[in-house]
Amino acid sequence: MSVHRFAELTWEEVRDLDRPSAVAILPVGAVEAHGPHLPLGTDVVIAEGMARVCAEGVSGAGCPALILPPLWYTAAGFAGNFPGTIAVDGAIVSDLIIQIATSLREQDIRTLAIANAHLDPAHLASLRHASDAAPEGTRIVFLDLTRRTVAERLTEEFKTGACHAGRFEGSIVLAERPDLYRSDVAAGLQPNPSSLSTAIREGHETFEQAGGSRAYFGWPAEATAEEGRTTVRTLGQLLSEAILDGEAQ
């Protein structure tokens, strides 16, 4: 089997696919502040890398893999006070994903997987809702990176909860889009060990309240492309496992 970028196919090429066994993969992320050194589109850079590796995994297992055009806009309340952030209501995102899944099902494409590393609580809630409300005959696979069993397979920084625009995300941008990485700026950033996951549990609702006045958390100066490549592989493998094991998370 092979990997296809859905928007680059013709309608006849889609018609001729083994559509009932196909997996459509939707990269999802926010346009939002990621420190002074990473681009606003960092989440989609990560999601597209995750989708690519996932597609290779499901294709290798005999399922045609279709990488859909990414969904760039979603809930991003924590970054809402920073210029450049574009946030939309999570309910809109849920409805859009359900409608995408419905349209695919009408074409006999029955599995939609979400490639996502954006962890805003309202956004995650919207993805969970979409997964739970999948149209009849369709499976929406959502891999929740905040689940303990998933997080344990990711990096040490990720497990601290201080992982927005830090080493975890910066490493992936270095691996996937080094042209977008502001190396000189990143090298001068001090560590910010404030945990976003702890802040969320305590009821904080913005990066500033959580201790991120420049919209970054973690250890950005320690990012490496090597770590980024390893992390992208892990993310993609986790998603492909969730698809092939028949588990929506």
Side-chain angles (χ1 to χ4, degrees):
M1 294 295 176
S2 56
V3 174
H4 307 276
R5 291 200 172 271
F6 194 77
E8 296 176 3
L9 296 173
T10 69
W11 73 267
E12 292 184 341
E13 289 168 340
V14 175
R15 177 198 62 195
D16 295 339
L17 290 170
D18 177 12
R19 285 173 282 158
S21 67
V23 176
I25 306 168
L26 177 64
V28 178
V31 176
E32 67 169 1
H34 277 80
H37 60 301
L38 296 181
L40 298 170
T42 289
D43 289 333
V44 173
V45 171
I46 297 170
E48 289 195 301
M50 181 181 184
R52 184 187 69 250
V53 175
C54 173
E56 293 167 354
V58 298
S59 176
C63 301
L66 308 171
I67 301 176
L68 300 176
L71 174 58
W72 284 85
Y73 303 108
T74 187
F78 268 72
N81 294 331
F82 291 86
T85 298
I86 300 176
V88 302
D89 188 274
I92 295 173
V93 178
S94 294
D95 289 344
L96 180 57
I97 291 173
I98 292 167
Q99 289 187 42
I100 291 170
T102 300
S103 182
L104 291 168
R105 181 64 183 86
E106 290 169 350
Q107 302 173 55
D108 217 13
I109 298 171
R110 305 172 186 179
T111 299
L112 173 64
I114 300 170
N116 170 73
H118 175 51
L119 304 182
D120 185 285
H123 169 70
L124 293 179
S126 73
L127 300 187
R128 291 190 194 101
H129 175 72
S131 178
D132 292 341
E136 185 177 354
T138 300
R139 188 164 59 113
I140 298 178
V141 180
F142 163 48
L143 177 72
D144 186 349
L145 300 188
T146 67
R147 284 183 54 177
R148 183 179 299 275
T149 55
V150 177
E152 284 175 351
R153 291 177 59 180
L154 297 173
T155 69
E156 291 304 313
E157 185 194 76
F158 187 90
K159 286 182 277 192
T160 71
C163 58
H164 178 83
R167 177 172 176 165
F168 177 82
E169 292 192 325
S171 292
I172 297 175
V173 173
L174 264 175
E176 294 286 313
R177 288 295 307 271
D179 56 308
L180 299 178
Y181 188 84
R182 282 71 168 174
S183 300
D184 292 347
V185 178
L189 295 177
Q190 295 298 310
N192 178 10
S194 300
S195 171
L196 268 174
S197 55
T198 299
I200 291 167
R201 288 195 298 270
E202 293 175 349
H204 299 302
E205 297 180 344
T206 68
F207 285 155
E208 296 97 329
Q209 292 174 5
S213 61
R214 299 187 72 190
Y216 78 88
F217 299 80
W219 290 259
E222 297 180 9
T224 67
E226 180 180 6
E227 178 177 304
R229 286 188 287 270
T230 298
T231 302
V232 167
R233 283 196 299 272
T234 301
L235 289 169
Q237 289 166 359
L238 283 163
L239 184 55
S240 64
E241 289 170 11
I243 295 165
L244 296 172
D245 292 346
E247 180 183 1
Q249 305 188 41

